[in-house]
Amino acid sequence: EVQLVESGGGLVKPGGSLRLSCAASGFSFSGYSMNWVRRAPGKGLEWLSSISGGSGYIYSADSVKGRFTISRDNAKNSLFLQMNSLRADDTAVYYCARYSHGDHYWYFDLWGRGTLVTVSS
Amino acid sequence: QTVVTQEPSFSVSPGGTVTLTCGLSSGSVSTSYYPSWYQQTPGQAPRTLIYSTNTRSSGVPDRFSGSILGNKAALTITGAQADDESDYYCMLYMGGGIVVFGGGTKLTVL
């Protein structure tokens, strides 16, 4: 089955760190760029970061640059998000999502169910 | 900073037609932004509806359609059903691997 499964969420204190994981299955993981997207309570979807199949291209939203780092291990079909210096407004459900892109399209074609991160003292 | 705009909320009667829009704080949305649309109900993962302006994702019923209307991307739902009550997000590709979501539209079917 083609799927993405996130893990690693939980309760963390402000200023703390957390590492999220996303396990991919059912497709050729190394052939796809992957992303992290979040949705904070009462807010909309927010794209955070993307990484190309070979990790050669990494892009991040300004809101997380310098604090969050995306990475991947193609041998283990896994995507990661290292989150440092966490703040209360980082509280959200974090989704792993697969990019599908070509000459005339660029969109998310596969989503995980998400993992909840709560930043609170 | 580019802001992608959507109506915060919209209401439609069962069986009715509704068009949600996706604009830019500065400039016009064109097909070059590869507009895509996502549906999300509470507690669920987002579901991809439309990509590349007007291509339906696999399994999406044909009562969902995408287009460019004037200077905005648009998602039209024809024959709205109760389970269409969700949050809808558009997303635009800005180039350089960067995408931006709109703020989302909360659709009520009543």
Side-chain angles (χ1 to χ4, degrees):
Chain A
E1 181 185 1
V2 176
Q3 64 177 356
L4 301 169
V5 179
E6 302 91 338
S7 61
L11 176 63
V12 61
K13 289 181 168 52
S17 297
L18 209 57
R19 189 191 196 212
L20 304 183
S21 299
C22 171
S25 58
F27 65 97
S28 179
F29 181 69
S30 62
Y32 287 87
S33 296
M34 299 296 297
N35 298 262
W36 288 100
V37 175
R38 70 183 177 187
R39 184 173 183 184
K43 297 195 174 182
L45 295 172
E46 179 186 16
W47 171 80
L48 299 178
S49 192
S50 68
I51 184 169
S52 61
S55 302
Y57 297 94
I58 290 176
Y59 306 99
S60 296
D62 289 343
S63 59
V64 300
K65 273 181 186 173
R67 296 193 303 128
F68 292 7
T69 302
I70 192 171
S71 63
R72 64 191 295 162
D73 183 339
N74 287 340
K76 296 183 178 179
N77 290 337
S78 294
L79 177 72
F80 306 103
L81 185 67
Q82 178 67 43
M83 304 188 294
N84 299 329
S85 303
L86 283 162
R87 311 185 299 230
D89 62 0
D90 292 318
T91 294
V93 176
Y94 286 74
Y95 298 98
C96 170
R98 186 177 76 177
Y99 259 156
S100 181
H101 61 89
D103 286 346
H104 300 290
Y105 58 94
W106 195 292
Y107 70 107
F108 297 123
D109 69 344
L110 181 67
W111 296 80
R113 289 179 168 270
T115 187
L116 176 62
V117 172
T118 302
V119 183
S120 175
S121 54
Chain B
Q1 181 179 345
T2 301
V3 176
V4 178
T5 61
Q6 294 184 249
E7 299 86 0
S9 63
F10 230 117
S11 182
V12 63
S13 300
T17 296
V18 63
T19 296
L20 311 181
T21 68
C22 174
L24 284 169
S25 55
S26 177
S28 300
V29 176
S30 68
T31 56
S32 299
Y33 285 92
Y34 309 144
S36 54
W37 291 88
Y38 305 87
Q39 177 192 49
Q40 189 177 32
T41 52
Q44 301 293 317
R47 172 195 183 196
T48 305
L49 296 175
I50 301 284
Y51 64 93
S52 191
T53 304
N54 56 13
T55 302
R56 273 185 296 277
S57 189
S58 177
V60 174
D62 60 6
R63 54 198 184 78
F64 291 90
S65 62
S67 63
I68 298 290
L69 288 180
N71 62 350
K72 296 182 178 182
L75 173 71
T76 299
I77 306 172
T78 304
Q81 301 178 359
D83 60 5
D84 294 335
E85 187 161 294
S86 296
D87 296 325
Y88 291 85
Y89 296 90
C90 70
M91 186 183 82
L92 302 179
Y93 175 65
M94 297 302 185
I98 305 294
V99 294
V100 178
F101 285 101
T105 297
K106 184 177 181 62
L107 180 67
T108 301
V109 180
L110 51 73

